[in-house]
Amino acid sequence: MITDAELAVRAARAGASVVRDLYGTSLARFEKSAGDFATTADVEAEKVILDVIRAARPADAVTGEESGRTGAAGIDRMWLVDPLCGTLNYAVRNMLVAVNVALRTGNGVTVAATADPFAGEVFWTDGERACLREGDGDVDLTPSPESRLVDVNLDLPFPNAPGFRAAHLLAGPAFAERFRPRVVSTTLALAWVAAGRRAAYVTDGHLRDSVHFSSGIALCQAAGCVVTDLRGRPPHTGAGGLVAAADQETHAALLTMIGR
C-alpha cells in the first residue's frame, strides 16, 4: 500500500503535469472575486490531483482550492489541495508557480508535497524528513541563510495592518542593510526556504488549513527552519501571518524589524 507521503508526491506530480502541458495555451478564466480568478489549468489540475487521492484514500476528506470541501463530516484526515499557486503568474506566461498537496491529520499536517511544474522538482515531507525529489532520487533539504534573499508576500489580505504592512518591512533601512528582497507571489518560495535557496519568507494572513500555505509550512518545519507567526508565537496561535527563516538569527532579525 502506498504511503501518505508517496501519495502526496504522486498527486502533486500529476497536477504539475497538467499545469506544464497547458502552459501557454488559450485558457478560459473563471472569476472568483475581485481581482481573483481561476483558469482551465487550475480546474483540470485539481481534478487530476483529486482523482489520484480518491483512488488511494476514498474515505478521506478533501479541500480543494477550486472545488471546496468534499467528504464526510468529522473525518480526521483532510487533504488540502492548491492545484496552481500563482495563477496570475501562470496566466501571463510566468513560470513561477507551484502545486501544493498536504494532509492534515487531527490538528497537524503530517505529509506534504510542493511541485515545481517547470523545474521537474518535488519538495516533500513525511513529517520527519524533508526532501527534494528529482526523477526517482531524494536529497535531504538543508536550510541556509547565506543567500540573504527574503521573499515577502504583498498579496491581500493584511489582517494585521496597520501594525504590520509588508511594504513597510521592505522599505525599512534595517531590512535593506541586512537582506535582499524578493517578491515571487507563489508559495514555492517556502519550499525554497526549506531547500536553502532563500533565507526567509514573510507573509500576513490567517493560514490555518490554508490550501496555499500548509505544504510549505510543513516542509519548513520538517527541514528545521524557525517557523512562527508575525509575533514569534507558534503558527496559528497568535497574531497570524508567518515568518519562516532558515535559522534563529535570521528569524530574530526579522521579528525585530516587524515589531518596529
Side-chain angles (χ1 to χ4, degrees), residues 18 28 30 38-49 66 83-84:
V18 172
F30 310 99
T39 70
T40 305
D42 297 73
V43 175
E44 293 300 317
E46 181 164 306
K47 182 180 182 300
V48 168
I49 293 168
E66 309 309 330
L84 179 48

Side-chain angles (χ1 to χ4, degrees), residues 160 162-164 228-233 238-240 243 251 255 258-260:
N160 284 286
F164 169 75
T228 71
D229 74 358
L230 292 172
R231 302 303 176 195
R233 301 184 182 97
V243 181
H251 183 266
L255 283 188
I258 290 169
R260 289 179 177 173

Side-chain angles (χ1 to χ4, degrees), residues 27-61:
L27 299 170
R29 294 192 183 191
F30 310 99
E31 296 299 324
K32 296 164 67 173
S33 61
D36 190 20
F37 61 89
T39 70
T40 305
D42 297 73
V43 175
E44 293 300 317
E46 181 164 306
K47 182 180 182 300
V48 168
I49 293 168
L50 268 57
D51 286 347
V52 171
I53 293 171
R54 287 169 176 156
R57 302 288 190 272
D60 289 358

Side-chain angles (χ1 to χ4, degrees), residues 107-133:
N107 292 322
V109 173
T110 51
V111 304
T114 292
D116 181 334
F118 300 104
E121 299 177 325
V122 183
F123 305 85
W124 67 272
T125 179
D126 58 6
E128 296 182 1
R129 298 177 65 199
C131 300
L132 168 62
R133 180 168 299 179

Side-chain angles (χ1 to χ4, degrees), residues 7-172:
L7 180 57
V9 171
R10 182 179 297 181
R13 276 182 158 173
S17 179
V18 172
V19 170
R20 187 168 54 251
D21 289 347
L22 291 178
Y23 179 76
T25 64
S26 179
L27 299 170
R29 294 192 183 191
F30 310 99
E31 296 299 324
K32 296 164 67 173
S33 61
D36 190 20
F37 61 89
T39 70
T40 305
D42 297 73
V43 175
E44 293 300 317
E46 181 164 306
K47 182 180 182 300
V48 168
I49 293 168
L50 268 57
D51 286 347
V52 171
I53 293 171
R54 287 169 176 156
R57 302 288 190 272
D60 289 358
V62 179
T63 295
E65 166 73 1
E66 309 309 330
S67 58
R69 189 190 188 285
T70 57
I75 297 295
D76 189 55
R77 292 167 52 90
M78 171 72 75
W79 291 88
L80 304 167
V81 175
D82 182 3
L84 179 48
C85 185
T87 298
L88 181 55
N89 288 346
Y90 185 82
V92 296
R93 303 192 181 188
N94 184 312
M95 293 183 178
L96 288 173
V97 300
V99 177
N100 295 312
V101 178
L103 172 63
R104 175 178 58 73
T105 303
N107 292 322
V109 173
T110 51
V111 304
T114 292
D116 181 334
F118 300 104
E121 299 177 325
V122 183
F123 305 85
W124 67 272
T125 179
D126 58 6
E128 296 182 1
R129 298 177 65 199
C131 300
L132 168 62
R133 180 168 299 179
E134 294 181 284
D136 296 324
D138 290 320
V139 178
D140 289 340
L141 299 181
T142 304
S144 170
E146 291 184 6
S147 71
R148 297 190 297 116
L149 300 177
V150 176
D151 273 299
V152 180
N153 182 17
L154 298 181
D155 284 340
L156 295 169
F158 302 130
N160 284 286
F164 169 75
R165 290 190 184 276
H168 292 174
L169 174 66
L170 290 173

